[in-house]
Protein backbone atom coordinates (compact mmCIF):
# COMPACT_ATOMS: atom_id res chain seq x y z
CA UNK A 1 0.00 0.00 0.00
CA UNK A 2 1.58 3.25 -1.00
CA UNK A 3 1.74 5.43 2.06
CA UNK A 4 4.66 7.64 1.29
CA UNK A 5 2.87 10.94 1.04
CA UNK A 6 0.36 12.39 3.44
CA UNK A 7 -2.92 13.73 2.26
CA UNK A 8 -2.21 17.40 1.76
CA UNK A 9 -5.55 18.76 2.81
CA UNK A 10 -5.39 18.27 6.47
CA UNK A 11 -4.12 21.28 8.34
CA UNK A 12 -6.76 22.17 10.85
CA UNK A 13 -8.20 25.61 10.67
CA UNK A 14 -7.09 28.01 13.36
CA UNK A 15 -9.54 28.03 16.15
CA UNK A 16 -11.07 24.71 15.20
CA UNK A 17 -11.96 22.57 18.15
CA UNK A 18 -8.89 20.64 19.21
CA UNK A 19 -10.58 17.27 19.00
CA UNK A 20 -11.53 17.71 15.36
CA UNK A 21 -8.18 19.22 14.56
CA UNK A 22 -6.35 16.32 16.14
CA UNK A 23 -8.55 13.90 14.21
CA UNK A 24 -7.69 15.66 10.98
CA UNK A 25 -4.01 15.57 11.80
CA UNK A 26 -4.23 11.92 12.73
CA UNK A 27 -5.90 11.03 9.45
CA UNK A 28 -3.36 12.95 7.45
CA UNK A 29 -0.12 12.24 9.25
CA UNK A 30 -0.37 9.17 11.48
CA UNK A 31 0.90 6.83 8.77
CA UNK A 32 3.99 8.77 7.90
CA UNK A 33 4.74 9.43 11.55
CA UNK A 34 4.41 5.72 12.27
CA UNK A 35 6.94 5.03 9.56
CA UNK A 36 9.28 7.80 10.71
CA UNK A 37 9.23 6.60 14.33
CA UNK A 38 10.28 3.15 13.19
CA UNK A 39 13.15 4.40 11.06
CA UNK A 40 14.25 6.78 13.78
CA UNK A 41 14.99 3.83 16.00
CA UNK A 42 11.82 3.16 17.98
CA UNK A 43 11.61 -0.61 18.37
CA UNK A 44 8.80 -2.18 16.32
CA UNK A 45 6.91 -3.25 19.40
CA UNK A 46 7.06 0.27 20.80
CA UNK A 47 5.96 2.25 17.76
CA UNK A 48 2.31 2.06 18.69
CA UNK A 49 2.96 3.53 22.12
CA UNK A 50 5.28 6.13 20.66
CA UNK A 51 2.63 7.26 18.20
CA UNK A 52 0.13 7.46 21.01
CA UNK A 53 2.53 9.52 23.05
CA UNK A 54 3.14 11.78 20.07
CA UNK A 55 -0.53 12.54 19.62
CA UNK A 56 -1.01 13.05 23.34
CA UNK A 57 1.54 15.82 22.98
CA UNK A 58 -0.30 17.13 19.94
CA UNK A 59 -3.56 17.20 21.86
CA UNK A 60 -1.90 19.05 24.67
CA UNK A 61 0.03 21.57 22.64
CA UNK A 62 -2.11 22.13 19.59
CA UNK A 63 -4.01 25.06 21.09
CA UNK A 64 -0.69 26.91 21.24
CA UNK A 65 -0.03 26.29 17.59
CA UNK A 66 -0.53 29.48 15.64
CA UNK A 67 0.01 28.19 12.13
CA UNK A 68 3.08 30.26 11.60
CA UNK A 69 5.14 27.11 11.13
CA UNK A 70 4.30 24.10 9.02
CA UNK A 71 2.25 21.68 11.03
CA UNK A 72 4.07 18.77 9.42
CA UNK A 73 7.40 20.20 10.53
CA UNK A 74 6.10 20.49 14.06
CA UNK A 75 4.79 16.93 14.06
CA UNK A 76 8.13 15.61 12.88
CA UNK A 77 9.89 17.69 15.51
CA UNK A 78 7.80 15.94 18.15
CA UNK A 79 8.43 12.56 16.52
CA UNK A 80 12.19 13.07 16.54
CA UNK A 81 12.19 13.89 20.23
CA UNK A 82 9.95 11.00 21.16
CA UNK A 83 12.19 8.69 19.16
CA UNK A 84 15.24 10.02 21.03
CA UNK A 85 13.56 9.31 24.30
CA UNK A 86 12.60 5.85 23.14
CA UNK A 87 16.15 5.08 22.03
CA UNK A 88 17.45 6.23 25.40
CA UNK A 89 14.97 3.98 27.13
CA UNK A 90 15.97 1.06 24.93
CA UNK A 91 19.60 1.60 25.77
CA UNK A 92 18.84 1.85 29.45
CA UNK A 93 16.84 -1.34 29.39
CA UNK A 94 19.67 -3.01 27.53
CA UNK A 95 17.53 -4.19 24.68
CA UNK A 96 19.50 -6.27 22.25
CA UNK A 97 18.06 -6.30 18.77
CA UNK A 98 18.08 -9.51 16.87
CA UNK A 99 21.00 -9.68 14.49
CA UNK A 100 19.78 -8.80 11.03
CA UNK A 101 20.54 -10.96 8.09
CA UNK A 102 21.24 -9.87 4.58
CA UNK A 103 17.99 -10.27 2.66
CA UNK A 104 18.09 -13.48 0.75
CA UNK A 105 16.62 -13.64 -2.71
CA UNK A 106 16.49 -17.39 -2.58
CA UNK A 107 13.63 -17.67 -0.19
CA UNK A 108 10.84 -17.80 -2.64
CA UNK A 109 8.63 -15.21 -4.23
CA UNK A 110 7.01 -13.85 -1.13
CA UNK A 111 7.49 -10.15 -1.67
CA UNK A 112 6.18 -9.22 1.74
CA UNK A 113 8.82 -11.34 3.34
CA UNK A 114 11.51 -9.79 1.21
CA UNK A 115 10.23 -6.32 2.03
CA UNK A 116 10.27 -7.11 5.73
CA UNK A 117 13.80 -8.42 5.48
CA UNK A 118 14.91 -5.38 3.54
CA UNK A 119 13.36 -3.14 6.13
CA UNK A 120 15.09 -4.97 8.92
CA UNK A 121 18.33 -4.65 7.04
CA UNK A 122 17.76 -0.94 6.53
CA UNK A 123 17.10 -0.49 10.22
CA UNK A 124 20.26 -2.34 11.14
CA UNK A 125 22.26 -0.14 8.77
CA UNK A 126 20.61 2.96 10.21
CA UNK A 127 21.58 1.76 13.66
CA UNK A 128 25.20 2.00 12.63
CA UNK A 129 24.91 5.74 12.10
CA UNK A 130 25.47 8.24 14.84
CA UNK A 131 22.14 9.50 16.08
CA UNK A 132 22.38 12.98 14.66
CA UNK A 133 23.25 11.59 11.25
CA UNK A 134 20.54 9.00 11.45
CA UNK A 135 17.92 11.65 12.08
CA UNK A 136 18.98 13.76 9.14
CA UNK A 137 19.28 10.73 6.89
CA UNK A 138 15.82 9.41 7.74
CA UNK A 139 14.11 12.78 7.48
CA UNK A 140 15.70 13.54 4.15
CA UNK A 141 15.95 10.19 2.41
CA UNK A 142 12.93 8.35 3.73
CA UNK A 143 10.57 11.14 4.72
CA UNK A 144 11.70 13.38 1.87
CA UNK A 145 11.75 16.55 3.92
CA UNK A 146 13.74 19.49 2.67
CA UNK A 147 16.88 20.75 4.37
CA UNK A 148 15.18 23.90 5.75
CA UNK A 149 12.42 21.78 7.21
CA UNK A 150 14.94 19.43 8.78
CA UNK A 151 16.89 22.39 10.13
CA UNK A 152 13.76 23.69 11.81
CA UNK A 153 12.87 20.27 13.18
CA UNK A 154 16.29 19.64 14.66
CA UNK A 155 16.90 23.27 15.57
CA UNK A 156 20.20 23.37 13.75
CA UNK A 157 21.71 25.40 10.95
CA UNK A 158 20.82 24.42 7.38
CA UNK A 159 24.47 23.95 6.52
CA UNK A 160 24.73 21.59 9.46
CA UNK A 161 21.93 19.59 7.91
CA UNK A 162 23.79 19.40 4.62
CA UNK A 163 27.03 18.41 6.23
CA UNK A 164 25.39 15.77 8.43
CA UNK A 165 23.57 14.44 5.41
CA UNK A 166 26.79 14.10 3.44
CA UNK A 167 28.45 12.29 6.30
CA UNK A 168 25.38 10.13 6.86
CA UNK A 169 25.29 9.06 3.23
CA UNK A 170 28.95 8.18 3.33
CA UNK A 171 28.59 6.27 6.56
CA UNK A 172 25.50 4.49 5.28
CA UNK A 173 27.21 3.45 2.06
CA UNK A 174 30.18 2.25 4.02
CA UNK A 175 28.01 0.27 6.42
CA UNK A 176 26.19 -1.22 3.46
CA UNK A 177 29.40 -2.23 1.72
CA UNK A 178 30.79 -3.61 4.93
CA UNK A 179 27.69 -5.64 5.63
CA UNK A 180 27.69 -7.00 2.12
CA UNK A 181 31.33 -7.96 2.39
CA UNK A 182 30.97 -9.39 5.83
CA UNK A 183 27.95 -11.55 5.19
CA UNK A 184 27.18 -13.62 8.21
CA UNK A 185 30.28 -15.73 8.42
CA UNK A 186 32.66 -13.57 10.39
CA UNK A 187 31.09 -13.42 13.77
CA UNK B 1 24.54 3.88 -10.91
CA UNK B 2 26.52 1.06 -9.35
CA UNK B 3 24.92 -2.07 -8.05
CA UNK B 4 25.65 -0.91 -4.54
CA UNK B 5 23.90 2.40 -5.04
CA UNK B 6 20.95 0.65 -6.61
CA UNK B 7 20.70 -1.62 -3.59
CA UNK B 8 20.72 1.37 -1.26
CA UNK B 9 18.10 3.18 -3.28
CA UNK B 10 15.96 0.06 -3.30
CA UNK B 11 16.17 -0.16 0.47
CA UNK B 12 15.14 3.45 0.80
CA UNK B 13 12.26 3.07 -1.63
CA UNK B 14 11.01 0.14 0.38
CA UNK B 15 11.25 2.16 3.55
CA UNK B 16 9.11 4.86 1.97
CA UNK B 17 6.48 2.31 1.10
CA UNK B 18 6.15 0.97 4.61
CA UNK B 19 2.51 0.80 5.56
CA UNK B 20 1.59 0.74 9.21
CA UNK B 21 -0.66 -1.80 10.72
CA UNK B 22 -4.09 -0.26 10.23
CA UNK B 23 -5.46 -2.07 13.26
CA UNK B 24 -2.72 -0.60 15.37
CA UNK B 25 -3.54 2.85 14.05
CA UNK B 26 -7.15 2.30 14.99
CA UNK B 27 -6.12 1.17 18.45
CA UNK B 28 -4.02 4.27 18.96
CA UNK B 29 -6.92 6.43 17.89
CA UNK B 30 -9.18 4.65 20.33
CA UNK B 31 -6.72 5.27 23.11
CA UNK B 32 -6.59 8.92 22.19
CA UNK B 33 -10.30 9.24 22.84
CA UNK B 34 -9.60 8.93 26.55
CA UNK B 35 -8.77 12.20 28.26
CA UNK B 36 -5.03 12.90 28.06
CA UNK B 37 -3.11 12.19 31.23
CA UNK B 38 -2.73 15.13 33.49
CA UNK B 39 0.69 16.65 33.84
CA UNK B 40 2.48 19.78 32.90
CA UNK B 41 5.18 18.17 30.79
CA UNK B 42 5.28 16.25 27.55
CA UNK B 43 6.48 13.02 29.05
CA UNK B 44 10.08 14.12 29.06
CA UNK B 45 10.29 14.36 25.29
CA UNK B 46 11.32 18.04 25.36
CA UNK B 47 8.92 18.82 22.61
CA UNK B 48 9.71 22.05 20.84
CA UNK B 49 7.44 24.92 21.57
CA UNK B 50 5.28 25.60 18.50
CA UNK B 51 6.06 29.29 18.78
CA UNK B 52 9.81 28.65 18.87
CA UNK B 53 9.56 26.36 15.88
CA UNK B 54 7.66 28.99 13.95
CA UNK B 55 10.29 31.55 14.79
CA UNK B 56 13.06 29.18 13.75
CA UNK B 57 11.34 28.48 10.47
CA UNK B 58 10.86 32.13 9.76
CA UNK B 59 14.38 32.98 10.77
CA UNK B 60 15.67 30.37 8.36
CA UNK B 61 13.47 31.74 5.64
CA UNK B 62 14.70 35.25 6.37
CA UNK B 63 18.34 34.25 6.23
CA UNK B 64 17.77 32.36 3.05
CA UNK B 65 15.99 35.34 1.52
CA UNK B 66 18.96 37.54 2.35
CA UNK B 67 21.29 35.01 0.82
CA UNK B 68 19.11 34.87 -2.26
CA UNK B 69 19.19 38.65 -2.63
CA UNK B 70 22.95 38.73 -2.30
CA UNK B 71 23.25 35.97 -4.86
CA UNK B 72 20.96 37.70 -7.29
CA UNK B 73 22.91 40.92 -6.89
CA UNK B 74 26.19 39.11 -7.42
CA UNK B 75 24.80 37.43 -10.50
CA UNK B 76 23.71 40.78 -11.96
CA UNK B 77 27.15 42.24 -11.30
CA UNK B 78 28.90 39.29 -12.86
CA UNK B 79 26.63 39.20 -15.87
CA UNK B 80 27.09 42.92 -16.34
CA UNK B 81 30.85 42.56 -16.11
CA UNK B 82 30.78 39.73 -18.61
CA UNK B 83 28.74 41.76 -21.06
CA UNK B 84 30.92 44.82 -20.71
CA UNK B 85 34.04 42.71 -21.00
CA UNK B 86 32.65 41.13 -24.13
CA UNK B 87 32.07 44.52 -25.71
CA UNK B 88 35.55 45.66 -24.88
CA UNK B 89 36.96 42.63 -26.52
CA UNK B 90 34.43 42.83 -29.40
CA UNK B 91 34.39 39.08 -29.12
CA UNK B 92 31.42 38.03 -27.09
CA UNK B 93 31.72 34.82 -25.18
CA UNK B 94 29.77 31.96 -26.67
CA UNK B 95 28.08 31.58 -23.37
CA UNK B 96 28.14 33.38 -20.11
CA UNK B 97 28.94 30.80 -17.50
CA UNK B 98 29.07 33.45 -14.83
CA UNK B 99 25.41 34.05 -15.36
CA UNK B 100 24.59 30.59 -14.17
CA UNK B 101 23.68 30.95 -10.56
CA UNK B 102 24.00 27.85 -8.51
CA UNK B 103 20.51 26.53 -8.21
CA UNK B 104 19.67 25.78 -4.65
CA UNK B 105 17.82 22.71 -3.68
CA UNK B 106 14.18 23.55 -3.90
CA UNK B 107 12.18 22.70 -0.83
CA UNK B 108 10.04 19.69 -1.33
CA UNK B 109 7.17 21.53 0.16
CA UNK B 110 6.83 25.04 1.50
CA UNK B 111 8.44 25.32 4.87
CA UNK B 112 5.71 27.54 6.20
CA UNK B 113 1.99 27.04 6.06
CA UNK B 114 0.59 30.45 5.48
CA UNK B 115 -1.11 32.27 2.72
CA UNK B 116 1.02 31.54 -0.33
CA UNK B 117 3.48 34.27 -0.95
CA UNK B 118 5.21 34.65 -4.28
CA UNK B 119 8.60 34.85 -2.67
CA UNK B 120 8.18 31.76 -0.54
CA UNK B 121 10.08 29.25 -2.68
CA UNK B 122 13.17 31.45 -3.04
CA UNK B 123 12.76 32.45 0.59
CA UNK B 124 13.85 29.01 1.67
CA UNK B 125 16.70 29.02 -0.77
CA UNK B 126 19.71 27.58 0.86
CA UNK B 127 23.30 28.05 0.01
CA UNK B 128 24.56 24.66 -1.05
CA UNK B 129 27.36 23.39 1.09
CA UNK B 130 30.63 24.68 -0.14
CA UNK B 131 32.87 23.61 2.65
CA UNK B 132 36.13 22.12 1.46
CA UNK B 133 36.42 18.41 2.07
CA UNK B 134 39.42 18.81 4.30
CA UNK B 135 37.48 21.04 6.64
CA UNK B 136 34.64 18.59 6.82
CA UNK B 137 37.02 15.80 7.63
CA UNK B 138 38.55 17.88 10.36
CA UNK B 139 35.20 18.70 11.80
CA UNK B 140 34.34 15.07 12.27
CA UNK B 141 34.71 14.43 15.93
CA UNK B 142 35.70 11.26 17.61
CA UNK B 143 36.34 9.18 14.53
CA UNK B 144 34.24 6.14 15.11
CA UNK B 145 35.67 2.73 14.96
CA UNK B 146 33.15 1.78 12.35
CA UNK B 147 34.22 4.41 9.90
CA UNK B 148 37.52 5.64 11.08
CA UNK B 149 39.39 5.55 7.81
CA UNK B 150 36.78 6.83 5.46
CA UNK B 151 36.14 10.14 7.06
CA UNK B 152 39.67 11.35 6.76
CA UNK B 153 39.66 11.10 3.02
CA UNK B 154 38.00 13.11 0.33
CA UNK B 155 34.31 13.80 0.50
CA UNK B 156 32.19 12.80 -2.45
CA UNK B 157 29.65 15.13 -3.96
CA UNK B 158 26.67 15.53 -1.74
CA UNK B 159 24.24 14.49 -4.45
CA UNK B 160 24.42 10.79 -3.89
CA UNK B 161 25.85 8.00 -1.89
CA UNK B 162 29.53 7.39 -1.82
CA UNK B 163 28.81 3.97 -3.21
CA UNK B 164 30.94 0.93 -2.98
CA UNK B 165 33.70 2.33 -5.13
CA UNK B 166 34.20 5.32 -2.90
CA UNK B 167 33.96 3.17 0.13
CA UNK B 168 36.40 0.65 -1.18
CA UNK B 169 38.85 3.34 -2.18
CA UNK B 170 38.72 5.03 1.14
CA UNK B 171 38.54 1.85 3.15
CA UNK B 172 41.62 0.04 1.91
CA UNK B 173 45.23 0.96 1.86
CA UNK B 174 46.71 1.56 -1.58
CA UNK B 175 48.99 -1.43 -1.19
CA UNK B 176 46.08 -3.73 -0.65
CA UNK B 177 43.85 -2.31 -3.32
CA UNK B 178 45.00 -4.86 -5.85
CA UNK B 179 43.86 -7.70 -3.72
CA UNK B 180 40.40 -6.31 -3.18
CA UNK B 181 38.17 -6.59 -0.20
CA UNK B 182 38.14 -10.38 -0.40
CA UNK B 183 41.61 -10.39 1.13
CA UNK B 184 40.29 -8.51 4.13
CA UNK B 185 37.65 -11.05 4.71
CA UNK B 186 40.00 -14.00 4.25
CA UNK B 187 42.36 -12.67 6.89
CA UNK B 188 39.58 -12.33 9.41
CA UNK B 189 38.24 -15.74 8.56
CA UNK B 190 41.70 -17.13 9.18
CA UNK B 191 41.80 -15.37 12.54
CA UNK B 192 38.36 -16.69 13.40
CA UNK B 193 39.31 -20.22 12.44
CA UNK B 194 42.51 -20.03 14.47
CA UNK B 195 40.60 -18.79 17.48
CA UNK B 196 38.09 -21.61 17.18
CA UNK B 197 40.78 -24.27 17.00
CA UNK B 198 42.40 -22.85 20.11
CA UNK B 199 45.35 -21.09 18.54
CA UNK B 200 45.02 -17.51 19.72
CA UNK B 201 48.59 -16.64 18.78
CA UNK B 202 47.93 -17.54 15.16
CA UNK B 203 44.69 -15.61 15.31
CA UNK B 204 46.50 -12.59 16.66
CA UNK B 205 49.05 -12.83 13.86
CA UNK B 206 46.25 -12.75 11.28
CA UNK B 207 44.66 -9.79 13.02
CA UNK B 208 47.95 -7.94 13.11
CA UNK B 209 48.45 -8.59 9.44
CA UNK B 210 44.98 -7.26 8.76
CA UNK B 211 45.72 -4.20 10.85
CA UNK B 212 48.93 -3.61 8.92
CA UNK B 213 47.41 -4.03 5.49
CA UNK B 214 43.90 -2.74 6.07
CA UNK B 215 44.31 -0.31 8.91
CA UNK B 216 41.06 1.45 8.02
CA UNK B 217 39.47 -1.33 6.04
CA UNK B 218 35.79 -2.02 5.88
CA UNK B 219 36.19 -4.77 8.43
CA UNK B 220 38.41 -2.86 10.83
CA UNK B 221 35.73 -3.00 13.51
CA UNK B 222 35.26 -6.71 13.06
CA UNK B 223 38.98 -7.12 13.47
CA UNK B 224 38.92 -5.31 16.78
CA UNK B 225 35.97 -7.34 18.05
CA UNK B 226 37.89 -10.48 17.20
CA UNK B 227 40.95 -9.02 18.88
CA UNK B 228 39.00 -8.69 22.11
CA UNK B 229 37.99 -12.33 21.92
CA UNK B 230 41.52 -13.44 21.08
CA UNK B 231 43.02 -11.43 23.93
CA UNK B 232 40.48 -12.98 26.23
CA UNK B 233 41.54 -16.40 25.02
CA UNK B 234 45.12 -15.44 25.77
CA UNK B 235 44.20 -14.45 29.32
CA UNK B 236 44.97 -10.80 28.71
CA UNK B 237 41.76 -9.19 29.97
CA UNK B 238 43.21 -5.74 30.58
CA UNK B 239 44.31 -5.38 26.99
CA UNK B 240 41.03 -6.87 25.82
CA UNK B 241 39.15 -4.30 27.85
CA UNK B 242 41.17 -1.44 26.38
CA UNK B 243 40.39 -2.60 22.85
CA UNK B 244 36.73 -3.05 23.71
CA UNK B 245 36.46 0.36 25.31
CA UNK B 246 38.02 1.96 22.25
CA UNK B 247 35.47 0.20 20.06
CA UNK B 248 32.57 1.35 22.15
CA UNK B 249 33.85 4.91 22.28
CA UNK B 250 33.97 5.05 18.52
CA UNK B 251 30.38 4.22 17.68
CA UNK B 252 26.83 3.83 18.77
CA UNK B 253 27.47 0.65 20.72
CA UNK B 254 26.64 -1.85 18.03
CA UNK B 255 29.28 -4.25 19.22
CA UNK B 256 28.15 -4.27 22.78
CA UNK B 257 26.00 -7.39 22.50
CA UNK B 258 28.93 -9.35 21.12
CA UNK B 259 31.41 -7.91 23.57
CA UNK B 260 29.13 -8.57 26.46
CA UNK B 261 29.68 -12.27 26.02
CA UNK B 262 33.45 -11.88 26.23
CA UNK B 263 35.70 -11.99 29.27
CA UNK B 264 35.36 -8.22 29.66
CA UNK B 265 31.58 -8.10 29.27
CA UNK B 266 30.90 -7.28 32.88
CA UNK B 267 33.53 -4.59 32.95
CA UNK B 268 31.91 -2.85 30.01
CA UNK B 269 28.35 -2.80 31.22
CA UNK B 270 27.11 -2.60 34.74
CA UNK B 271 24.98 -5.57 35.60
CA UNK B 272 21.36 -4.83 34.81
CA UNK B 273 19.19 -5.43 37.80
CA UNK B 274 15.46 -5.87 37.55
CA UNK B 275 13.52 -2.85 38.64
CA UNK B 276 12.59 -2.85 42.28
CA UNK B 277 9.05 -2.97 43.46
CA UNK B 278 9.22 0.56 44.70
CA UNK B 279 10.00 2.01 41.25
Amino acid sequence: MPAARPQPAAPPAPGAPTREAVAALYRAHARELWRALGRLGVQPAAVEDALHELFIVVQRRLPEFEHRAAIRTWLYAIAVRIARKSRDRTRRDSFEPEPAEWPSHERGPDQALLDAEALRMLDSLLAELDEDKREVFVLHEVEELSAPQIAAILEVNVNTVYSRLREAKRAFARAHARRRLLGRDVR
Amino acid sequence: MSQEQEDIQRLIRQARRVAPDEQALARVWQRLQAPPPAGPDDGGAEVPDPEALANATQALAGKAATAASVKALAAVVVVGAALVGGRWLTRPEPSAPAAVVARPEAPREPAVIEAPRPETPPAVEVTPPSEPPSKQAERRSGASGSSGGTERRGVPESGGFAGSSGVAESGADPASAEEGPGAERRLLEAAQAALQRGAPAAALASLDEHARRFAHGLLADEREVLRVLVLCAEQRPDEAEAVAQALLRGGPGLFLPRLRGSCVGERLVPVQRPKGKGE
Side-chain angles (χ1 to χ4, degrees), chain A residues 61 85 96 174 180-181, chain B residues 7 42-43 150 185 260:
Chain A
R61 304 290 291 270
K85 201 177 69 158
E96 291 182 16
R174 182 180 169 86
R180 183 176 275 276
L181 173 62
Chain B
D7 284 349
D42 293 312
T150 312
R185 183 183 167 124
R260 189 175 286 159

Side-chain angles (χ1 to χ4, degrees), chain A residues 43-121:
Chain A
Q43 296 300 322
V47 171
E48 188 174 325
D49 285 342
L51 186 70
H52 179 244
E53 192 177 343
L54 192 160
F55 274 91
I56 291 280
V57 173
V58 171
Q59 280 179 334
R60 196 195 305 275
R61 304 290 291 270
L62 192 60
E64 303 165 35
F65 195 79
E66 292 181 349
H67 298 267
R68 291 202 295 122
I71 195 95
R72 189 166 176 236
T73 305
W74 182 56
L75 293 173
Y76 273 105
I78 301 172
V80 163
R81 282 147 185 87
I82 285 180
R84 282 178 192 164
K85 201 177 69 158
S86 175
R87 288 194 303 260
D88 286 348
R89 199 184 299 134
T90 301
R91 265 194 299 272
R92 252 198 334 271
D93 295 348
S94 192
F95 179 87
E96 291 182 16
E98 292 177 13
E101 301 172 9
W102 191 257
S104 163
H105 294 278
E106 300 168 1
R107 292 194 183 182
D110 189 336
Q111 192 58 42
L113 178 62
L114 290 179
D115 283 353
E117 284 191 2
L119 197 60
R120 203 163 60 240
M121 175 54 56

